[in-house]
Amino acid sequence: MSFDLILFGGTGDLVWRKIMPALFQAFRHGSLPPGGRIVGVARDDLSGDQYRALIKTRFDQVELAKRPSEEEFSRFAALLDYLRMDLSNPEDYAQLATRLQQRPAEVVVMYVATAPSLFTTVCEQIAAAGLNGPQTRVVLEKPLGHDLASNRTINKTVRSVLQEDQIFRIDHYLGKPSVQNLFALRFGNSLFEPLWRRETIANIQITIAEDLGVEKRGAFYDSTGALRDMVQNHALQLLCAIGMEPPINSHADAIRDEKLKVLRSLKAWTPETLSQHVVRGQYAAGNIDGEAVPGYRDEKGVDPDSTTETFVALRTEIANWRWAGVPFYIRTGKRLAGRDAHIEVNFRPAPHAIFKSPLVESNVGNRLVINLQPKDGLELHLLAQGSHQRHDRGTPTLVPVQLDLDFDKRFGVERVGAYERLLLDVIAGRLNLFVRSDEQEEAWRWVEPILDSWSSQPAGPRPYAAGTWGPSAASAMIARDGYCWSEEC
């Protein structure tokens, strides 16, 4: 299948950090369809050779295993081209159309890796230049909008020039192998699905923690914050994967219909739950791996008086037959104690205790941990009798054990990275791992009361020291239900 992949923002951070390494891995694995052309588009005044040289220097900054050899890059570079464009200039889109017509491709992918403010402009100009034919697919990066109204405006504009099946709203978390295995765990096996409900599950926790600060994205992050950057998209998509009902088949709309039902079932916010079940924080100066790091307000590009949150923890429920009464906890933040993303499913204790165990008595025992990063795999925590059996007044005492499946060790080089998988899916026209507009709007509708509540609170986010797990209020929130975060139990 011949294809053209146009990278708007072709010299930007996302392209060289994520997209180009993913395309190279697909090329190295032989999974990139033959007859392809990758065209970087940006305002920089570069020739094709200069662009290829720039990409080559950027590869020196990716992890060693993903760097090409001289021979590999020479072959990969044959796919690369460059076109200087001002994305607000219609004449430049006509120039792009001419370039593409010189060698018509079966599929044309327009990857809009630009500031969200340019999404509508790019899509309108693509259509004005006649580049929105049925062979065209447009990829839009998050965040898609700043709130519900802006998201609707973007979706309305994009849908006015493209069909829904031409629009690929990307969320790279859905491309992670561990998230794919979450779907396989639930819907490809009969072991857990009968237990996946309120009668056997006590609570579910989703953690997406980063030890890095805002790095070079201070100005962008200060206008976005953790709720928009992580909760509205990544965390809610993970919650949907956990909470959704089994789809009737594996087709894209069957899966996305079930995710939409979850979003519509999330309990609506009230003034009381907003005050008790939502915690926002902002990192202050602290230590990471023994090195002093500055506070958020001292980061480059950040307003010294900023009230932007770098941490969010919240409690919600899915109000339906399967999940009624089961709390779902979400937390995400920057400059936390470690880089760790995982989902923890905590099962209820045995209904009648005939064994003694501190874990049973403290309501901690059976749990399934789905590791997303940096480790990738599953852990099943159980209770068992140890080799040196202890008894308490004649009653056997249980000790914790675990089954640990490391997907990287099990599958090794067979693993496909998130962006590699998603880019190949776009070229092939598979929408399963992409977000539909009604899903996205429902997610914005649910988080908007939180944003409105914060805008009316003069106190701002709670400070927490860099290198910790966030404000103590996040621990107090979950403790009110009698539970604790995994590192605290």
Side-chain angles (χ1 to χ4, degrees), residues 46-287:
L46 300 172
S47 67
D49 287 339
Q50 288 173 321
Y51 183 64
R52 287 183 279 273
L54 174 65
I55 296 301
K56 183 178 182 182
T57 62
R58 295 300 196 188
F59 269 114
D60 292 338
Q61 300 176 49
V62 304
E63 58 185 278
L64 185 61
K66 295 184 178 180
R67 293 181 197 171
S69 65
E70 288 288 337
E71 186 271 336
E72 284 178 319
F73 184 80
S74 177
R75 290 189 290 113
F76 178 68
L79 306 180
L80 304 182
D81 202 353
Y82 182 78
L83 181 64
R84 185 183 182 280
M85 282 184 65
D86 178 348
L87 298 185
S88 62
N89 186 354
E91 294 179 1
D92 287 356
Y93 288 87
Q95 184 182 358
L96 173 62
T98 300
R99 176 77 65 90
L100 297 181
Q101 288 164 4
Q102 291 172 355
R103 195 220 65 168
E106 296 173 73
V107 173
V108 178
V109 176
M110 307 279 191
Y111 199 123
V112 190
T114 67
S117 58
L118 290 171
F119 287 173
T120 55
T121 298
V122 170
C123 290
E124 288 171 340
Q125 292 299 329
I126 286 172
L131 293 172
N132 60 333
Q135 81 279 15
T136 296
R137 294 159 192 163
V138 174
V139 183
L140 299 176
E141 270 284 349
K142 65 129 182 126
L144 235 67
H146 196 69
D147 53 18
L148 178 60
S150 58
N151 177 256
R152 282 175 167 166
T153 298
I154 292 172
N155 280 330
K156 182 179 179 181
T157 301
V158 175
R159 284 197 302 263
S160 70
V161 297
L162 295 162
Q163 299 297 314
E164 180 66 32
D165 62 3
Q166 294 178 276
I167 307 167
F168 291 73
R169 299 171 188 83
I170 195 168
D171 186 328
H172 75 270
Y173 262 68
L174 292 179
K176 286 181 175 291
S178 46
V179 177
Q180 296 309 296
N181 274 300
L182 172 57
F183 286 105
L185 174 80
R186 289 200 56 197
F187 307 131
N189 299 281
S190 61
L191 180 62
F192 286 108
E193 189 58 27
L195 306 177
W196 216 256
R197 55 201 336 103
R198 62 185 300 273
E199 290 84 1
T200 49
I201 291 177
N203 69 86
I204 294 176
Q205 303 176 18
I206 300 172
T207 295
I208 307 174
E210 299 178 67
D211 54 4
L212 294 176
V214 294
E215 305 303 294
K216 299 177 181 179
R217 301 168 67 233
F220 162 78
Y221 195 89
D222 206 38
S223 64
T224 305
L227 187 71
R228 292 183 176 94
D229 191 42
M230 298 298 291
V231 176
Q232 184 273 332
N233 38 70
H234 300 330
L236 285 186
Q237 284 295 316
L238 293 176
L239 186 148
C240 287
I242 301 165
M244 64 188 278
E245 294 297 321
I248 58 172
N249 55 42
S250 61
H251 294 165
D253 278 333
I255 294 170
R256 298 193 291 184
D257 286 346
E258 297 302 333
K259 289 196 293 175
L260 179 61
K261 290 177 185 177
V262 173
L263 293 168
R264 287 176 172 169
S265 300
L266 290 175
K267 273 197 170 181
W269 295 106
T270 67
E272 181 181 12
T273 57
L274 284 168
S275 64
Q276 293 186 359
H277 296 164
V278 181
V279 176
R280 61 171 168 160
Q282 184 186 89
Y283 67 82
N287 286 277

Side-chain angles (χ1 to χ4, degrees), residues 304-349:
D305 299 316
S306 174
T307 59
T308 297
E309 79 286 353
T310 62
F311 175 94
V312 176
L314 59 84
R315 177 196 191 278
T316 188
E317 293 181 27
I318 300 173
N320 64 14
W321 194 277
R322 179 187 290 262
W323 294 113
V326 177
F328 285 72
Y329 304 102
I330 294 172
R331 63 172 173 172
T332 183
K334 291 189 173 294
R335 286 291 189 214
L336 297 180
R339 177 174 177 260
D340 179 27
H342 67 267
I343 301 164
E344 185 172 300
V345 181
N346 290 295
F347 292 92
R348 298 187 185 279

Side-chain angles (χ1 to χ4, degrees), residues 280-281 297 307 454 457-463:
R280 61 171 168 160
R297 294 180 181 182
T307 59
W454 288 349
Q457 293 177 9
R462 301 169 186 264

Side-chain angles (χ1 to χ4, degrees), residues 21 38 44 77 104 155 335 387 393 406 479 487:
I38 302 165
D44 304 75
N155 280 330
R335 286 291 189 214
S387 57
R393 295 182 182 179
D406 187 319
E487 75 279 354

Side-chain angles (χ1 to χ4, degrees), residues 258-475:
E258 297 302 333
K259 289 196 293 175
L260 179 61
K261 290 177 185 177
V262 173
L263 293 168
R264 287 176 172 169
S265 300
L266 290 175
K267 273 197 170 181
W269 295 106
T270 67
E272 181 181 12
T273 57
L274 284 168
S275 64
Q276 293 186 359
H277 296 164
V278 181
V279 176
R280 61 171 168 160
Q282 184 186 89
Y283 67 82
N287 286 277
I288 300 287
D289 295 329
E291 294 188 11
V293 295
Y296 175 71
R297 294 180 181 182
D298 295 321
E299 298 278 17
K300 185 177 179 180
V302 173
D303 184 344
D305 299 316
S306 174
T307 59
T308 297
E309 79 286 353
T310 62
F311 175 94
V312 176
L314 59 84
R315 177 196 191 278
T316 188
E317 293 181 27
I318 300 173
N320 64 14
W321 194 277
R322 179 187 290 262
W323 294 113
V326 177
F328 285 72
Y329 304 102
I330 294 172
R331 63 172 173 172
T332 183
K334 291 189 173 294
R335 286 291 189 214
L336 297 180
R339 177 174 177 260
D340 179 27
H342 67 267
I343 301 164
E344 185 172 300
V345 181
N346 290 295
F347 292 92
R348 298 187 185 279
H352 176 61
I354 64 172
F355 299 101
K356 292 289 184 179
S357 170
L359 293 176
V360 170
E361 292 161 5
S362 64
N363 226 11
V364 177
N366 296 157
R367 57 194 170 102
L368 175 69
V369 180
I370 301 153
N371 291 305
L372 306 176
Q373 66 180 29
K375 187 178 178 180
D376 181 5
L378 301 173
E379 298 172 15
L380 182 59
H381 294 255
L382 307 167
L383 298 173
Q385 292 186 10
S387 57
H388 299 289
Q389 183 58 53
R390 294 185 297 123
H391 290 75
D392 181 5
R393 295 182 182 179
T395 302
T397 300
L398 303 184
V399 296
V401 296
Q402 72 181 64
L403 303 174
D404 192 348
L405 173 58
D406 187 319
F407 288 140
D408 285 328
K409 290 180 180 176
R410 169 60 183 84
F411 298 110
V413 295
E414 302 171 36
R415 314 242 57 205
V416 176
Y419 270 97
E420 181 182 350
R421 177 185 295 274
L422 293 172
L423 286 163
L424 292 173
D425 280 358
V426 176
I427 295 170
R430 293 187 291 264
L431 284 156
N432 300 49
L433 303 181
F434 296 86
V435 183
R436 204 167 57 193
S437 62
D438 51 2
E439 281 184 80
Q440 206 169 59
E441 290 183 17
E442 197 62 46
W444 275 115
R445 183 179 292 108
W446 186 74
V447 303
E448 193 156 75
I450 304 175
L451 295 169
D452 292 342
S453 172
W454 288 349
S455 67
S456 63
Q457 293 177 9
R462 301 169 186 264
Y464 63 94
T468 66
W469 283 106
S472 59
S475 298

